[in-house]
């Protein structure tokens, strides 16, 4: 197996405050997983607010360096201190899609201006026809076209359409990996599934791997191949998505699943908490993981 992405024992801590009252936050602790280059998949990172999902994504994107461990992309170490040329080469292969498409686009600029500058940057061309072609191709991949988008400002589109444009922009350099951080949480509920289905088709039709960061178990269940569940910076469970979510083994995963069933607020990262379950889940943070072979023969890794 050729490895696309290799996250090796990665930790990240932030130190805050002055000399007095200095505080260390362990945002990510000892995370390890890898993605295959041959088998594109949707790899989901689930966890409630503050569990370290975004920090992990920022390290994969080379926006933060790990405090410990290392991340390799196509065998090369990912680093915040790469040269401009190395950074550009890396970004042509690993592209981010953020949560709020209205923040990703300047309200005063036409949408095509973004697509255009990305095309110029990555295709190294000033040729108008080639740029238009690249923009149109990318927009077609997300079910839009340059004709539909040309001349329009962000506020003239729905959140769902704008998120498609953001995904189209990310697809311009044909990256093998997209990192999507809560890409549907700001999109109107009625349009959410269309974005989720789009991610699925990127994997199935375009062979793009997707790291899907969410706290929404339902969409995670629907599209993911594998997932990790994070609690307070630690991976507490990792495995085939349906295997884990059908029958979570770790108390925290069980808590997450139970809370989805018991509150409307789970989508906002708030959990209805059973104090005993929380205690059991917290007690296991930081312990070594073990591979559990379930009666059906499938394996999940459970930490604790
Ligand atoms: N630059 C930073 N400086 C200090 N602390 C940080 C920084 N970035 C993240 N943290 C802390 O690290 C922890 C993990 O944060 P992170 O944003 O990665 O979590 P998350 O799971 O993505 O949360 P959310 O779903 O709310 O985005 C939190 O306690 C957060 O306050």
């Amino acid at each position: 197996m050729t490895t696309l992405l290799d996250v090796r024992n990665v930790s990240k801590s932030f130190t805050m405050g002055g000399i007095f009252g200095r505080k260390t936050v362990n945002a990510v602790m000892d995370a390890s997983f890898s993605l295959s280059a041959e088998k594109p998949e949707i790899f989901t990172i689930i966890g409630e607010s503050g569990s370290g999902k975004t920090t992990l994504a920022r390290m994969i994107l080379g926006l933060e360096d790990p405090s410990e461990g290392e991340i390799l992309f196509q065998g090369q170490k990912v680093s915040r201190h790469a040269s401009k040329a190395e950074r550009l080469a890396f970004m042509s292969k690993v592209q981010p899609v953020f949560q709020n498409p209205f923040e990703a686009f300047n309200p005063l600029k036409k949408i095509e201006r973004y697509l255009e500058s990305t095309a110029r940057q990555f295709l190294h061309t000033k040729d108008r026809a080639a740029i238009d072609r690249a923009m149109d191709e990318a927009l077609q991949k997300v079910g839009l076209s340059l004709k539909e988008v040309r001349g329009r400002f962000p506020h003239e589109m729905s959140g769902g359409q704008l998120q498609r444009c953001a995904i189209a922009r990310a697809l311009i350099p044909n990256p093998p990996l997209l990192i999507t951080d809560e890409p549907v949480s700001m999109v109107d509920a009625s349009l959410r599934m269309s974005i989720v289905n789009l991610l699925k088709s990127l994997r199935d039709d375009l062979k793009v791997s997707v790291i899907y960061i969410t706290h929404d178990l339902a969409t995670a269940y629907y599209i993911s191949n594998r997932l990790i569940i994070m609690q307070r910076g630690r991976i507490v469970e990792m495995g085939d998505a349906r295997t884990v979510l059908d029958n979570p083994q770790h108390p925290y995963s069980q808590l997450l699943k139970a809370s989805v069933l018991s509150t409307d607020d789970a989508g906002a990262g708030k959990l209805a908490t059973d104090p005993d379950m929380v205690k059991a889940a917290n007690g296991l943070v930081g312990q070594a993981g073990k591979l559990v072979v379930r009666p059906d023969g499938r394996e999940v890794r459970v930490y604790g």
Side-chain angles (χ1 to χ4, degrees), residues 14 16 25 27 48-55 64 182 215:
F14 296 102
M16 294 184 300
V25 178
E48 63 181 320
S49 204
S51 56
K53 307 181 296 295
T54 300
T55 304
E64 300 276 2
E182 307 268 8
H215 42 235

Side-chain angles (χ1 to χ4, degrees), residues 220-241:
Y221 187 86
Y222 177 63
I223 56 168
S224 318
N225 298 85
R226 286 186 301 152
L227 58 75
I228 54 178
I229 296 181
M230 290 186 75
Q231 179 197 18
R232 295 200 286 153
R234 292 251 180 212
I235 297 176
V236 295
E237 191 155 349
M238 165 155 63
D240 170 80

Side-chain angles (χ1 to χ4, degrees), residues 38-298:
E38 285 105 21
K39 217 171 136 231
E41 66 173 312
I42 297 182
F43 185 88
T44 294
I45 305 177
I46 294 193
E48 63 181 320
S49 204
S51 56
K53 307 181 296 295
T54 300
T55 304
L56 186 51
R58 285 178 58 78
M59 288 192 281
I60 296 170
L61 283 162
L63 300 172
E64 300 276 2
D65 281 334
S67 312
E68 279 170 53
E70 63 178 4
I71 297 175
L72 302 180
F73 179 79
Q74 293 181 336
Q76 302 266 326
K77 191 169 169 174
V78 177
S79 166
R80 198 160 76 89
H81 301 287
S83 69
K84 206 173 163 201
E86 285 168 339
R87 177 98 203 124
L88 196 64
F90 173 72
M91 291 304 289
S92 72
K93 295 178 187 160
V94 183
Q95 277 283 315
V97 175
F98 297 109
Q99 183 173 21
N100 188 346
F102 289 99
E103 274 176 12
F105 291 89
N106 180 331
L108 303 175
K109 270 191 184 174
K110 287 182 188 154
I111 293 160
E112 80 235 34
R113 293 272 299 278
Y114 278 93
L115 300 171
E116 209 179 298
S117 65
T118 303
R120 274 183 208 284
Q121 191 179 23
F122 289 112
L123 306 181
H124 310 289
T125 179
K126 290 188 176 153
D127 180 61
R128 204 42 288 154
I131 290 171
D132 280 3
R133 207 166 38 246
M135 289 198 285
D136 192 46
E137 267 171 30
L139 286 164
Q140 301 270 357
K141 287 175 185 166
V142 303
L144 292 167
S145 70
L146 185 55
K147 212 168 140 207
E148 284 171 85
V149 169
R150 185 149 262 167
R152 296 176 81 175
F153 286 95
H155 69 271
E156 295 178 296
M157 301 203 118
S158 70
Q161 278 176 318
L162 206 54
Q163 193 58 296
R164 280 172 189 275
C165 292
I167 295 171
R169 194 206 55 77
L171 291 174
I172 286 177
N174 289 318
L177 179 61
L178 283 188
I179 314 240
T180 64
D181 195 351
E182 307 268 8
V184 296
S185 61
M186 303 296 283
V187 172
D188 200 63
S190 63
L191 298 170
R192 244 173 241 170
M193 279 321 281
S194 73
I195 300 289
V196 166
N197 280 325
L198 170 61
L199 297 179
K200 231 175 152 186
S201 91
L202 296 182
R203 174 196 63 195
D204 298 339
D205 305 330
L206 300 180
K207 312 293 173 215
V208 175
S209 288
V210 177
I211 291 186
Y212 175 59
I213 298 170
T214 188
H215 42 235
D216 177 34
L217 267 62
T219 55
Y221 187 86
Y222 177 63
I223 56 168
S224 318
N225 298 85
R226 286 186 301 152
L227 58 75
I228 54 178
I229 296 181
M230 290 186 75
Q231 179 197 18
R232 295 200 286 153
R234 292 251 180 212
I235 297 176
V236 295
E237 191 155 349
M238 165 155 63
D240 170 80
R242 292 187 176 212
T243 307
V244 170
L245 293 177
D246 279 343
N247 188 5
Q249 303 287 304
H250 189 280
Y252 180 72
S253 320
Q254 291 166 356
L255 176 69
L256 268 182
K257 187 173 169 183
S259 67
V260 169
L261 300 176
S262 62
T263 124
D264 292 340
D265 265 346
K270 296 186 188 115
L271 303 177
T273 42
D274 167 345
D276 289 338
M277 263 174 125
V278 175
K279 212 167 144 202
N282 283 343
L284 293 173
V285 167
Q287 296 180 16
K290 66 175 186 295
L291 209 57
V292 176
V293 183
R294 295 162 23 134
D296 57 12
R298 292 185 291 177

